[in-house]
């Protein structure tokens, strides 16, 4: 608290009260990424600066991706120096960067001021680039098949810490070296495939459960979408939830039509509760009621994710039961062959079982695709994000 009060000395009293109450000030110095444009205007107003200065800074942060106030050369030097002295731009420290798939999959490990770590994955395709970002360090949901769930919840991320992961991905894309023909991954092909230079999609499918950190997470959605700044279309954003029903109901009422994915993973309550403890609180019938209401209210199709575990939830009878459960619903199923997590006694469904499962669903009129995984060699695929074990030193980049 004292740290927070000290920090507030440089802010207007009204803004300081707002900042404390809304929980945006979680570090000992104000993180500009935690501020929406009106908050930035309030801060600058308190400093006696005109509102257009706030808009200039906002553009520098989210359009030009500038992370050093001194580099904001359209601002007077005195203001740049004040920003450098009294605020910070970002709180994530890049601790490790791993690449796979010839550099087209990139996984960053970030350390938070608390020492906790989170991971972010960037996947580059010829026609799009997708960032998979974390909303919490760790996760309290304890799903047995997931690496993140194994260590419990360490901390909620602030809006700025969620946004900053997208900005990292955007900078990676902006700073890509142009490829020569020799570096082309498909060397057999003579045609250079294009590579996007900016982020086109973002999925909240990294570490953590977004709806367990709803307010901060939603602020990050609004910031990333803001056409005056980062300008990512609502339909380019997808949130995945373990099935927190209050979050689904809340999302249905939000103004931005982002995509919703729900982790289902089993057509029956006994097995789902065994795999995902949250099912005891929100069993399948309750979850699907909320989903139907969501579809009725928004008229948007939802995706169901279904992780396939050999011999557990991948039998043809289970596919048939799943098809019955979802019959008539405006939905799509994304099958995800389980990605190995060390220390779990689970197995990944083999290709034949995956295809049979898909076949049963498609046969019954359920739209269904198998997710093509990226980054398994660097543990960057779905559910493999675990950071590093507590107590293990984090290797700092350049150290
Ligand atoms: N907490 C949210 C979002 C993060 S997990 C959720 O659970 O939906 C993103 C997706 O990865 C979820 O569908 C989750 O069930 C899936 N997942 C978790 N562990 C996995 C693993 N080891 N292999 C494949 N998918 C996994
Ligand atoms: Fe948390 Fe999602 Fe992993 Fe479950 S699958 S433990 S909700 S991150």
């Amino acid at each position: 608290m004292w740290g927070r009060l000290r920090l507030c000395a440089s802010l207007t009293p009204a803004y300081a009260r707002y900042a404390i109450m809304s929980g945006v000030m979680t570090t000992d110095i104000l993180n500009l990424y935690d501020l929406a444009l009106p908050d930035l205007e309030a801060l600058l107003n308190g400093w006696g600066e005109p509102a257009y200065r706030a808009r200039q800074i906002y553009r520098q942060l989210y359009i030009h991706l500038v992370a050093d106030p001194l580099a904001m050369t359209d601002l007077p030097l005195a203001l740049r120096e004040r920003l450098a002295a009294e605020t910070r731009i970002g709180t994530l420290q890049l601790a490790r960067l791993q690449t796979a798939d010839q550099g087209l999959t990139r996984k960053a490990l970030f350390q938070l001021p608390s020492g906790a770590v989170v991971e972010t994955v960037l996947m580059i395709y010829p026609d799009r680039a997708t960032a998979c970002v974390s909303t919490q360090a760790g996760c309290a949901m304890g799903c047995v098949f997931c690496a993140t769930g194994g260590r419990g919840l360490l901390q909620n991320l602030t809006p700025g810490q969620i946004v900053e992961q997208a900005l990292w991905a955007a900078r990676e894309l902006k700073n890509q070296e142009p490829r020569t023909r020799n570096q082309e991954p498909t060397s057999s092909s003579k045609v250079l495939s294009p590579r996007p230079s900016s982020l086109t999609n973002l999925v909240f499918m990294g570490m953590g459960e977004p709806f367990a950190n709803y307010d901060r997470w939603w602020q990050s959605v609004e910031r990333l979408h803001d056409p005056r700044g980062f300008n990512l279309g609502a339909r380019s954003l997808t949130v995945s939830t373990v099935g927190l029903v209050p979050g689904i109901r809340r999302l249905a009422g939000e103004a931005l039509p982002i995509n919703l994915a729900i982790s289902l993973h089993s057509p029956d309550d006994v097995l789902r509760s065994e795999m995902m403890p949250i099912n005891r609180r929100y069993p399948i019938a309750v979850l699907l009621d909320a989903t139907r209401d969501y579809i009725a209210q928004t008229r948007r199709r939802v995706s169901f994710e279904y992780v396939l575990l050999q011999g557990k939830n991948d039998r043809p009878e289970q596919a048939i039961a799943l098809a019955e459960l979802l019959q008539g619903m405006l939905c799509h199923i994304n099958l995800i062959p389980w990605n190995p997590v060390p220390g779990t006694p689970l197995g990944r469904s083999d290709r034949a079982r995956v295809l049979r499962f898909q076949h049963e669903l498609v046969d019954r009129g359920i739209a269904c695709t198998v997710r093509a995984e990226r980054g398994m060699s660097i543990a960057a695929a779905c559910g493999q994000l675990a950071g590093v074990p507590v107590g293990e030193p984090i290797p700092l980049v350049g150290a």
Side-chain angles (χ1 to χ4, degrees):
M1 192 64 191
W2 280 114
R4 288 180 174 190
L5 288 179
R6 255 205 323 277
L7 158 68
C8 294
S10 63
L11 308 179
T12 59
Y15 180 72
R17 243 193 334 275
Y18 158 80
I20 288 174
M21 283 166 56
S22 63
V24 296
M25 292 165 67
T26 54
T27 58
D28 59 353
I29 187 163
L30 185 66
N31 177 8
L32 290 185
Y33 291 145
D34 275 326
L35 306 185
L37 183 54
D39 306 329
L40 198 55
E41 282 167 352
L43 176 71
L44 272 282
N45 184 34
W47 287 2
E49 297 282 350
Y52 72 86
R53 291 286 182 221
R55 291 195 291 275
Q56 280 177 302
I57 296 170
Y58 199 75
R59 280 196 296 272
Q60 287 285 1
L61 294 175
Y62 298 111
I63 297 176
H64 304 302
L65 310 176
V66 170
D68 174 4
L70 297 176
M72 298 182 179
T73 47
D74 55 344
L75 302 180
L77 183 60
L79 179 55
R80 283 186 263 158
E81 286 175 345
R82 184 159 190 191
L83 284 169
E86 298 184 29
T87 68
R88 65 196 291 175
I89 300 179
T91 58
L92 303 183
Q93 192 173 3
L94 183 65
R96 187 178 60 203
L97 180 65
Q98 291 170 282
T99 61
D101 309 319
Q102 280 137 328
L104 297 179
T105 303
R106 312 172 75 78
K107 180 172 87 160
L109 176 76
F110 293 109
Q111 186 169 24
L112 310 177
S114 65
V117 291
V118 292
E119 291 183 308
T120 310
V121 182
L122 169 64
M123 290 156 286
I124 306 171
Y125 304 89
D127 58 337
R128 66 190 197 281
T130 302
C132 176
V133 308
S134 299
T135 52
Q136 299 181 305
C139 182
M141 299 297 145
C143 305
V144 296
F145 48 82
C146 172
T148 309
R151 289 178 41 208
L153 176 65
L154 300 176
Q155 140 181 14
N156 280 318
L157 300 192
T158 69
Q161 288 167 338
I162 302 171
V163 167
E164 192 177 348
Q165 297 171 64
L167 295 174
W168 164 78
R171 280 190 207 105
E172 286 286 302
L173 290 163
K174 192 177 169 182
N175 299 333
Q176 282 177 109
E177 282 178 19
R179 278 178 306 165
T180 64
R181 211 166 276 271
N182 295 343
Q183 293 168 312
E184 182 61 18
T186 51
S187 52
S188 58
S189 154
K190 291 282 171 245
V191 184
L192 276 179
S193 57
R195 212 185 250 193
S197 58
S198 61
L199 200 61
T200 57
N201 298 81
L202 185 142
V203 295
F204 296 98
M205 294 187 186
M207 295 167 75
E209 166 53 38
F211 290 172
N213 188 19
Y214 195 104
D215 291 333
R216 297 184 189 90
W217 163 71
W218 187 254
Q219 285 181 49
S220 78
V221 170
E222 291 182 322
R223 189 102 71 263
L224 293 169
H225 170 263
D226 190 346
R228 298 165 299 185
F230 201 64
N231 194 22
L232 207 48
R235 303 321 303 262
S236 306
L237 296 162
T238 301
V239 65
S240 171
T241 178
V242 71
L244 292 188
V245 164
I248 295 173
R249 295 201 177 281
R250 228 176 130 177
L251 185 66
E254 300 285 6
L256 295 178
I258 72 165
N259 303 304
L260 172 64
I262 298 172
S263 298
L264 192 53
H265 306 334
S266 165
D268 81 84
D269 276 322
V270 175
L271 179 59
R272 191 164 189 270
S273 296
E274 202 181 285
M275 294 165 65
M276 307 164 77
I278 194 66
N279 193 65
R280 296 193 193 105
R281 186 130 147 237
Y282 303 113
I284 294 172
V286 174
L287 174 60
L288 294 187
D289 270 354
T291 309
R292 279 189 206 94
D293 291 347
Y294 173 92
I295 294 169
Q297 198 174 331
T298 63
R299 299 176 193 282
R300 291 200 297 271
R301 187 180 79 158
V302 299
S303 294
F304 288 102
E305 290 151 299
Y306 196 102
V307 169
L308 285 164
L309 293 155
Q310 179 101 350
K312 254 207 170 319
N313 66 349
D314 67 348
R315 291 198 302 277
E317 313 84 88
Q318 288 163 313
I320 294 165
L322 184 62
E324 274 165 22
L325 209 54
L326 304 183
Q327 210 48 252
M329 211 186 265
L330 184 60
C331 71
H332 170 268
I333 298 186
N334 223 318
L335 298 175
I336 316 171
W338 179 70
N339 297 310
V341 174
T344 48
L346 301 166
R348 177 184 171 91
S349 300
D350 59 46
R351 189 84 193 141
R353 291 176 80 95
V354 173
L355 294 178
R356 173 75 195 276
F357 200 92
Q358 182 183 26
H359 177 79
E360 298 296 347
L361 289 167
V362 172
D363 243 19
R364 287 164 179 78
I366 306 278
C368 173
T369 47
V370 180
R371 184 177 290 173
E373 286 293 351
R374 276 287 194 89
M376 232 196 280
S377 63
I378 53 169
C382 274
Q384 292 187 312
L385 305 184
V388 291
V390 178
E392 201 177 294
I394 295 166
L396 289 179
V397 168

